[in-house]
Amino acid sequence: MNEMTTIAKTTTLKDWETDQEVRWCPGCGDYAILKAVQRTMPEIGTAPENTVFISGIGCSSRFPYYMETYGFHTIHGRAPAFATGLKLANPNLDIWIVTGDGDGLSIGGNHTMHLIRRNLDCQIMLFNNEIYGLTKGQYSPTSRVGTTSPSTPYGSVDRPAQPAAFALGAGARFVARGFDVSKELPNVLKAAHAHKGAAFIEIFQNCIVYNKDVFEDFAAPKGAEDRQLWLKSDEPMLFAKGTKGIALDVDALNLKVVDVVDGDWQAAGVIVHDVTNRSVAHMLVEMRFGEFPMALGVLYDDPRPTFEADVWRQNKAAAEGKTADLQSLLKKGQTWTVTEGGPEL
């Protein structure tokens, strides 16, 4: 989010759509995410000419072609590095990073980590389909144990990375989850944009070809209320139409599912969601699905000063009382000559 953004005009969905042919597989979850973003942008109130989408490599990384904004389709895992340079050069830009579980957590894992810990003011959308789609279905850092693929024909033995846990461990001040076809995804995107700093959003995305329906256990519409916990700030953690909730097991110091009788969630000990509680956020992302519902929505939101603001403040202090005058430096009698080995004084 950029609090200095100047709104030139009210926009509509059409202002954010390009004339480019969308080239994803029919039925890919990326279509739903793209449409959710395009529909959300007018409600956010930013302007296309002030917005940049930056991606690395992968199916998700075609995203900048389909947004009528500025965009960079960069190299594998390096979108955070480009975003950092761009934000430092022009802090007024509204920057969105689009990455995937392979691009952002494998070859780009270190870049993602450092961008998060520095707290660059941007939105990071990580599309998690638990597979490498663009390179034809190899297992990825988030693939589950036992996943069979061209690179794991007998099943993966790797323990998968958890993107939301990774972000919290890297020092993220905003962590959220959603999934591609959810009607709640635009609200998650709005909350991420309203956060001043690095906002990390894990978006579960269905790869129709190489990992079809891997999230159906919680994302399928039928019975979703029993398997999804949509978190709302300052509201009790209820699911299953209010008949179940999440409480703190004070003996084991972890979370547990409790029954709610006659709507009396206070008597059941159900927790009220505090988005600034980092400890509970860690517990929410570690909840084992099946025993628990899938925690979705804004898990953690606690802003702090941003990286680019600190850099600009430091540079301003260092330049205090000095005149930016290249010509005066050149007049101090130093002469540069170019030799075969390079420039020399």
Side-chain angles (χ1 to χ4, degrees):
M1 187 272 289
N2 185 354
E3 60 190 13
M4 298 175 66
T5 299
T6 300
I7 308 304
K9 61 180 179 179
T10 301
T11 63
T12 66
L13 169 65
K14 292 295 183 183
D15 293 313
W16 299 91
E17 295 177 329
T18 70
D19 60 359
Q20 298 296 300
E21 177 189 0
V22 181
R23 298 178 62 186
W24 287 313
C25 301
C28 175
D30 288 355
Y31 285 96
I33 301 171
L34 173 64
K35 193 56 65 176
V37 172
Q38 290 173 335
R39 287 173 174 161
T40 301
M41 298 308 282
E43 298 179 36
I44 286 173
T46 189
E49 62 271 19
N50 197 58
T51 306
V52 187
F53 280 82
I54 305 175
S55 65
I57 296 295
C59 295
S60 62
S61 294
R62 294 197 59 81
F63 212 90
Y65 296 104
Y66 310 136
M67 295 297 300
E68 190 59 45
T69 64
Y70 290 104
F72 286 94
H73 186 181
T74 70
I75 54 180
H76 213 178
R78 271 60 176 183
F82 284 82
T84 301
L86 197 59
K87 192 70 176 181
L88 288 175
N90 186 353
N92 292 331
L93 292 175
D94 188 8
I95 294 179
W96 296 73
I97 295 174
V98 185
T99 186
D101 43 304
D103 181 70
L105 295 180
S106 183
I107 192 170
N110 61 327
H111 290 278
T112 305
M113 176 186 71
H114 293 305
L115 178 133
I116 289 172
R117 73 170 179 82
R118 286 171 173 154
N119 198 35
L120 189 81
D121 186 20
C122 64
Q123 294 73 236
I124 309 152
M125 297 189 295
L126 187 143
F127 298 8
N128 181 12
N129 56 20
E130 297 188 1
I131 208 77
Y132 278 102
L134 186 66
T135 51
K136 313 307 180 193
Q138 297 86 353
Y139 85 119
S140 82
T142 59
S143 295
R144 302 174 195 186
V145 173
T147 298
T148 56
S149 74
S151 53
T152 53
Y154 302 108
S156 170
V157 297
D158 283 11
R159 299 292 171 182
Q162 297 187 54
F166 170 87
L168 282 169
R173 309 300 297 187
F174 180 100
V175 178
R177 276 181 179 157
F179 62 93
D180 47 16
V181 296
S182 171
K183 293 180 180 179
E184 290 289 332
L185 184 57
N187 292 329
V188 173
L189 297 173
K190 290 176 196 173
H193 186 265
H195 176 86
K196 186 69 175 175
F200 183 90
I201 316 115
E202 177 186 7
I203 304 175
F204 298 107
Q205 178 257 323
N206 186 29
C207 177
I208 196 74
V209 176
Y210 298 109
N211 216 13
K212 184 179 179 181
D213 297 337
V214 71
F215 302 117
E216 280 296 281
D217 48 4
F218 70 84
K222 187 175 181 180
E225 62 274 5
D226 296 327
R227 303 185 303 270
Q228 298 174 11
L229 171 65
W230 280 100
L231 298 161
K232 306 286 185 183
S233 181
D234 299 323
E235 293 186 15
M237 297 184 188
L238 297 170
F239 65 103
K241 298 181 179 179
T243 63
K244 293 183 181 295
I246 302 297
L248 178 66
D249 186 332
V250 294
D251 294 323
L253 291 180
N254 57 23
L255 301 179
K256 63 181 180 180
V257 173
V258 294
D259 293 321
V260 177
V261 180
D262 297 330
D264 192 353
W265 57 267
Q266 293 98 329
V270 174
I271 298 173
V272 172
H273 185 40
D274 176 4
V275 293
T276 66
N277 191 321
R278 191 176 190 84
S279 297
V280 173
H282 276 284
M283 294 181 188
L284 288 167
V285 301
E286 295 289 348
M287 289 194 312
R288 294 180 298 276
F289 179 74
E291 180 184 347
F292 292 90
M294 179 60 70
L296 300 164
V298 178
L299 286 78
Y300 182 64
D301 184 0
D302 189 15
R304 74 174 183 193
T306 64
F307 177 66
E308 71 281 357
D310 286 343
V311 170
W312 274 73
R313 191 179 302 111
Q314 185 182 68
N315 289 346
K316 182 179 179 181
E320 197 72 34
K322 299 177 183 177
T323 303
D325 187 352
L326 178 60
Q327 294 304 316
S328 66
L329 293 176
L330 294 176
K331 290 176 182 177
K332 288 186 176 180
Q334 295 182 336
T335 304
W336 291 88
T337 58
V338 178
T339 67
E340 206 171 292
E344 293 180 355
L345 274 173

